[in-house]
Structure formats: structure tokens, C-alpha cells
Amino acid sequence: MPALPSDIAAALRPQMVVSSQDLSIRTRFPSARDGSEDPAEGFFDSAADAATALAQRVALLGVTRRRFVVAVNDMVEVTPGTVPTHRVIDAEQGLDASMLLSRIEVDLEQETTQLEYFG
């Protein structure tokens, strides 16, 4: 199949790399991204679009997040069609935050639920 003129024009445009690096994160997590020095690949029409996407990526990845597992001696209901979040309080870990429920493990015989939170 022959290339369309718009495909040829897109392939001939000059390339640019937009980057961001936080040395404090790199020092704290030296093996992040498997130690790769290659940039994450993305394709944008303008540098401004790439910078916007990069800022969103840094906002997600640049924050230290923690994982907690909570055992509940009851069955926990999750409303279908919702993103379950709960307030998790752990005085020992200094945590009082709304966290995203990322995993549910139900033991029907024991009627217990193990919840994994991320946030």
C-alpha cells in the first residue's frame, strides 16, 4: 500500500526530544525504569503538546506512593461501575489518607477480605 502524502510529511518533520529529570527521585530510586537511559517514546504535533504530556507524566511518576494491605474480617462490597477508594488510617505508619483500592482478595470460606491500597 503506498504512503499517503500526509504520512510522508509527518515522517519528514524534524524530531525533537523534550525531557525532564528530578535528581532527588533518581538518587532515591536509582534502578527506576530498569536503569534505562532511553527516553519514554511519544509522538506529538508540537513541543508544547509534548511538554504538557510530560508535565502530566512527571506529576504521576514524581510523587512517592505507598502500598498497604488491610485484612478485614468481613465481606467488603464494591459498587459496580465505581472506582473504589477508602480512607486508610494507620497511626504506626503516619497515614491518614484516601487511597485507591487496587486489589481485592476474598476468602469465601472464612468470610474475610484482603484489600490492597495504593496511593
Side-chain angles (χ1 to χ4, degrees):
M1 177 162 96
L4 298 173
S6 59
D7 294 334
I8 294 170
L12 294 176
R13 279 191 293 200
Q15 297 179 1
M16 66 186 76
V17 175
V18 178
S19 64
S20 174
Q21 184 174 9
D22 187 332
L23 293 177
S24 64
I25 293 173
R26 190 169 180 88
T27 302
R28 187 169 179 188
F29 304 106
S31 62
R33 289 201 74 230
D34 300 326
S36 174
E37 294 295 328
D38 296 331
E41 195 171 75
F43 301 94
F44 302 93
D45 287 330
S46 69
D49 291 343
T52 300
L54 180 61
Q56 292 172 346
R57 182 179 173 93
V58 168
L60 287 172
L61 300 177
V63 177
T64 302
R65 302 187 193 283
R66 301 186 291 176
R67 183 180 66 88
F68 292 89
V69 176
V70 177
V72 179
N73 291 325
D74 199 358
M75 304 295 283
V76 175
E77 285 190 42
V78 176
T79 306
T82 64
V83 177
T85 57
H86 297 123
R87 182 176 175 196
V88 180
I89 301 171
D90 186 338
E92 186 177 309
Q93 298 292 323
L95 176 71
D96 183 353
S98 293
M99 300 188 82
L100 177 67
L101 181 60
S102 59
R103 183 172 158 244
I104 302 173
E105 185 176 318
V106 178
D107 185 339
L108 295 174
E109 290 180 12
Q110 300 295 321
E111 292 188 1
T112 60
T113 307
Q114 187 170 347
L115 308 168
E116 184 175 296
Y117 293 98
F118 181 75

